[in-house]
Amino acid sequence: MDFRYTEEQLALRETLHRFIARDYDFARRRALVSSPLGFSAEAWAQYADLGVLALPFPQEYGGLGGNPVDIMVVMELVGQGLLLEPILSTVVMCGGVIRDAASEAMKRALLPQIGAGSLQLAFACYEAAGRYDLASVACRARPSGDGWCLSGRKNVVLDAPSADGFLVSARVSGQVADSEGISLFLVKRDAPGLTLRWYPTQSGGRAADLRLEDVVVEADAHVGSPGQALEIIERAVDRSTAALCAEAVGIMTALNEATLSYLKTRKQFGVPIGSFQVLQHRMADMYIAAEQARSMCILATVNADSKDVAVRRRVVSGAKAHIGRAARFVGQQAVQLHGAMGVVDELIVSHYFKRLTVIDLTLGDSDFHLARFGESLRPAGQ
Amino acid sequence: MDLTYSPEDDAFRAEVRAFLDARLPEDVRAKVLLGKRLGKDDFMRWQKILHARGWGAGRWPQRFGGAGWTVVQDHIFEEERAEAGAPPQIAFGLRMVAPVLMTFGSVRQQEYFLPKIIAGEHFWCQGFSEPGSGSDLASLRTEAVSKADHYVVSGQKTWNTAGQHADWIFCLVRTRSEGRPQEGISFLLIDMKTPGIEVRPITLLDGEREINEVWFDEVQVPVENLVGEENKGWTYAKFLLTHERTNNAGIGMCKRGLHTLKEIATDQLVNGRPLIEDVRFRDRIAEVELELMALEINNLRVLSAAAIEERPIGPEASMLKIKGSQIIQQLAELRMHALGHDALPYLYEALEPDWVADPLLAEHYPAYAPPVSGQYFNLRKTTIYAGSTEIQKNIISKLVLGL
Ligand SMILES: Cc1cc2nc3c(=O)[nH]c(=O)nc-3n(C[C@H](O)[C@H](O)[C@H](O)COP(=O)(O)OP(=O)(O)OC[C@H]3O[C@@H](n4cnc5c(N)ncnc54)[C@H](O)[C@@H]3O)c2cc1C
């Protein structure tokens, strides 16, 4: 057992830390949220230069051959800096799918572009009626000429407005909630028949609803074997869920630091409010919650690529359920301990709180993951 | 022991319902039920309608123009009001400054201000908190220097709700710097149009502008606007805060919030079934509902005891405030979680009354969704304002438990 980061990981962390301090302070972030793009194109280019966008890809595709722990390092900083760029969508989710399941040609075409920062993709696999169930796919794909023709809806697709293309799940056979019969397609942003309705999200990002009306794609837009995509999708979502957990841990750590420093500096009744025992205990609980969360996050991260699907599901869902709750506690209490300062837009505190809330509601909320974790508790043989 | 409503109470409830049915403007009702932004006009219009019916101030004694309702009648009204989708009455005038004026104000103040409050002519706001004085309110520094026939007020108030709409502000000001801080505070009524007052908006985390900084630069306030005696303001403020906290229990609002939660959880599906049938989620609704049931009776019990014994409500108000604020928050949290992905869009414009979702969005995004997440964020304030939960617990520990 060794819980230490490698030299490279420590260096990467340090670099991103400096980048946030220098180029991505809170004022800058606020300006980006309301800018036309919604994030920083320069930052995106810098991530490419730093190798962040090529981190998880094999070297033969221009990648750095990184592992989930490397991603954890990055995502923690994404949390701390409240970075708006679509690293999770493009690199971890879509990049992960392409790395795991795409044809050799698609890998050669796309992974180097993602790594270089010239291609952004968004993951369009959730539908309104399915809530967090990835098997609930009503969107249909039927053969058309050499390729496929897609029709359906995808909702709240994160980072969709700026994406050059989407990975869309669509049903080639079976009924809406069947786990068999789902395929995955790469659909270009400008494909005829594709309409977007975009909006900001509660945590400063962007998302969109997609409508596909007879969108025709070539045969080579199909990812993996026809009808067998659910496994690929779940694998990518599990890995991304672990990454999202790391983002939450980064935020909780930063939020606890901010709150601790507020407890030491804010005075009421002639003393720092941190001298009140009830607040000391609350802060201690927040610290414990964040440490527990970090441990669950590490556990999920090292198992995120596990070949044993049951282990992967169990640990990742366990972590997301656990961290969702920890995030709620830490977020709410950080606001509470800041008093009215906690609910103003002007301080980063409320933005951390909102991001933690949105993370809890993304890729399955605590309830969803608790249930999924609970399935692994069934006595053997049932 | 008898927890049933009397025939008179039932008759009163029927009367309230009929009135709400007939007189609550449909546009206002729609805004309230869909969580749209309400303007000053909406509140004032509704206050005038209530006033015309003689219900402008249910709990005020009749000699001040109130309806003289019992605790139970007031409870019934609030329950029906919230359920019907009528806006709450603005508390700053009716339930905060008015009781202070009735108890400690001059006859002139009573005669001038009370009729304007009840008629919806004066919109009031509260100027207590300052940047350095929140929980430790008594440390406040905004000073009022006494001149012949007026005070000169300078300083800064903050976290002031609705100051941008207000005609008048009631303020705690420092009139003496020696001695205990509590003994140098006075209670002043200030016309918001007086030269030297500047209102600067503060944006809240949900993007809304409901609070402000209020700056006073040598603002002249006539001595007639001093309430009671100079340097006795702390006593009046404590009296007012007890009223504020009692109102904060907000049973009617919680019941309405619970109702909406159940509607949302019935409409939302999980695995093809209504979310409300999901055992995990249903239990969570049930737990909050039980807290609310207990609080409703707790609230009535505390208020009735005070009414029978003809005394003001004591530190038990803190218990009601703690529970009420937590329940409001829990309900908002569950409503947000019930939405799943639909909790994520931030559609600022969707809270305008005439907004309609475009077809693509409308396919999945229900009409009840737009305000839900913002409400969750916004309502974190309820355990902070009117004395934070921690401060209420300090009060209970000290004044109720004697620790
Ligand atoms: C949305 C909103 C609207 C408001 N509207 C108004 C208004 O209209 N008029 C007005 O005058 N004020 C208003 N307030 C201000 C409100 O009354 C104060 O926020 C409140 O009194 C807390 O003060 P503070 O924000 O300075 O927090 P602080 O007093 O700095 O408290 C920070 C934290 O320390 C804790 N703490 C402080 N002292 C103790 C202690 N002794 N023991 C244990 N814990 C302690 C608090 O509970 C809190 O968690 C409003 C506030 C909000 C958020």
Side-chain angles (χ1 to χ4, degrees), chain A residues 153 209 268 332 336 354 367, chain B residues 132 205 284 363-364 383:
Chain A
R153 310 273 184 275
D209 295 334
Q268 287 291 271
Q332 292 177 350
Q336 181 70 20
K354 288 196 286 184
D367 279 1
Chain B
L205 78 173
R284 217 159 277 155
E363 279 173 15
H364 71 97
T383 49

Side-chain angles (χ1 to χ4, degrees), chain A residues 266 268-269 273 276 278-279 336-337 339-340 343, chain B residues 92 126 128-129 134-135 159-161 211 381 384-386 388 390-391 394:
Chain A
R266 170 68 173 169
Q268 287 291 271
F269 305 98
I273 57 173
F276 301 127
V278 64
L279 302 194
Q336 181 70 20
L337 297 195
V343 291
Chain B
F92 298 112
Q126 178 181 28
F128 280 14
S129 307
S135 299
W159 317 127
N160 156 270
T161 302
I211 58 170
K381 71 186 177 190
I384 295 167
Y385 67 22
S388 70
E390 289 77 14
I391 293 300
N394 286 348

Side-chain angles (χ1 to χ4, degrees), chain A residues 186-202:
Chain A
L186 180 68
V187 177
K188 294 204 180 97
R189 172 75 174 83
D190 53 8
L194 176 66
T195 327
L196 255 78
R197 197 299 186 194
W198 81 272
Y199 37 76
T201 70
Q202 295 285 351

Side-chain angles (χ1 to χ4, degrees), chain A residues 137-259:
Chain A
V137 177
C139 181
R140 290 263 162 198
R142 55 187 164 77
S144 153
D146 286 344
W148 300 85
C149 178
L150 277 61
S151 289
R153 310 273 184 275
K154 296 290 163 179
N155 302 113
V156 198
V157 178
L158 299 173
D159 303 310
S162 60
D164 304 299
F166 306 95
L167 283 178
V168 177
S169 61
R171 186 163 287 289
V172 292
S173 66
Q175 301 300 315
V176 170
D178 291 354
S179 50
E180 294 288 313
I182 299 168
S183 279
L184 202 52
F185 299 91
L186 180 68
V187 177
K188 294 204 180 97
R189 172 75 174 83
D190 53 8
L194 176 66
T195 327
L196 255 78
R197 197 299 186 194
W198 81 272
Y199 37 76
T201 70
Q202 295 285 351
S203 54
R206 305 267 164 105
D209 295 334
L210 268 55
R211 178 195 281 152
L212 300 100
E213 280 169 316
D214 296 325
V215 173
V216 175
V217 296
E218 305 283 319
D220 62 4
H222 193 286
V223 181
S225 352
Q228 302 300 310
L230 187 61
E231 200 190 309
I232 302 167
I233 294 171
E234 285 202 338
R235 191 166 155 198
V237 169
D238 277 345
R239 192 185 301 117
S240 306
T241 303
L244 210 47
C245 286
E247 185 182 345
V249 167
I251 295 175
M252 282 190 262
T253 307
L255 198 44
N256 277 350
E257 258 173 46
T259 307

Side-chain angles (χ1 to χ4, degrees), chain A residues 42-382:
Chain A
E42 297 85 62
W44 191 251
Q46 274 179 280
Y47 304 149
D49 288 347
L50 291 171
V52 168
L53 306 183
L55 199 52
F57 309 139
Q59 278 157 1
E60 64 251 54
Y61 306 108
L64 300 181
N67 60 32
V69 180
D70 298 323
I71 296 293
M72 174 178 167
V73 169
V74 171
M75 290 306 293
E76 246 197 86
L77 270 297
V78 167
Q80 188 202 307
L82 288 176
L83 306 185
L84 295 156
E85 293 69 33
I87 295 179
L88 185 74
S89 293
T90 297
V91 179
V92 186
M93 301 192 82
C94 296
V97 167
I98 293 166
R99 181 194 71 184
D100 294 344
S103 65
E104 188 58 26
M106 193 186 269
K107 282 193 225 181
R108 293 219 172 276
L110 302 187
L111 293 181
Q113 285 193 60
I114 293 178
S118 54
L119 180 72
Q120 287 175 15
L121 298 175
F123 190 76
C125 289
Y126 289 104
E127 296 185 7
R131 208 172 169 85
Y132 296 117
D133 181 9
L134 291 158
S136 177
V137 177
C139 181
R140 290 263 162 198
R142 55 187 164 77
S144 153
D146 286 344
W148 300 85
C149 178
L150 277 61
S151 289
R153 310 273 184 275
K154 296 290 163 179
N155 302 113
V156 198
V157 178
L158 299 173
D159 303 310
S162 60
D164 304 299
F166 306 95
L167 283 178
V168 177
S169 61
R171 186 163 287 289
V172 292
S173 66
Q175 301 300 315
V176 170
D178 291 354
S179 50
E180 294 288 313
I182 299 168
S183 279
L184 202 52
F185 299 91
L186 180 68
V187 177
K188 294 204 180 97
R189 172 75 174 83
D190 53 8
L194 176 66
T195 327
L196 255 78
R197 197 299 186 194
W198 81 272
Y199 37 76
T201 70
Q202 295 285 351
S203 54
R206 305 267 164 105
D209 295 334
L210 268 55
R211 178 195 281 152
L212 300 100
E213 280 169 316
D214 296 325
V215 173
V216 175
V217 296
E218 305 283 319
D220 62 4
H222 193 286
V223 181
S225 352
Q228 302 300 310
L230 187 61
E231 200 190 309
I232 302 167
I233 294 171
E234 285 202 338
R235 191 166 155 198
V237 169
D238 277 345
R239 192 185 301 117
S240 306
T241 303
L244 210 47
C245 286
E247 185 182 345
V249 167
I251 295 175
M252 282 190 262
T253 307
L255 198 44
N256 277 350
E257 258 173 46
T259 307
L260 180 59
S261 113
Y262 196 71
L263 290 184
K264 289 177 180 168
T265 48
R266 170 68 173 169
K267 284 193 176 160
Q268 287 291 271
F269 305 98
V271 293
I273 57 173
S275 63
F276 301 127
Q277 197 166 47
V278 64
L279 302 194
Q280 292 172 353
H281 286 195
R282 193 85 48 83
M283 194 67 236
D285 285 337
M286 291 161 72
Y287 162 77
I288 294 168
E291 289 301 313
Q292 289 273 90
R294 179 177 294 279
S295 295
M296 281 307 275
C297 175
I298 292 171
L299 196 60
T301 302
V302 300
N303 285 291
D305 268 344
S306 172
K307 296 277 175 288
D308 185 335
V309 178
V311 167
R312 189 193 77 208
R313 288 169 68 110
R314 177 178 155 80
V315 176
V316 168
S317 276
K320 184 67 164 52
H322 180 92
I323 288 171
R325 282 165 191 213
R328 225 179 288 178
F329 174 72
V330 170
Q332 292 177 350
Q333 292 308 323
V335 168
Q336 181 70 20
L337 297 195
H338 276 83
M341 292 299 258
V343 291
V344 297
D345 179 64
E346 195 186 322
L347 253 66
I348 197 167
V349 175
S350 69
H351 296 262
Y352 277 142
F353 167 54
K354 288 196 286 184
R355 182 65 196 145
L356 284 177
T357 307
V358 165
I359 288 177
D360 188 14
L361 292 161
T362 305
L363 305 183
D365 63 4
S366 301
D367 279 1
F368 172 85
H369 284 289
L370 198 62
R372 195 169 178 251
F373 177 78
E375 281 165 20
S376 68
L377 304 180
R378 285 206 194 114
Q382 284 193 16

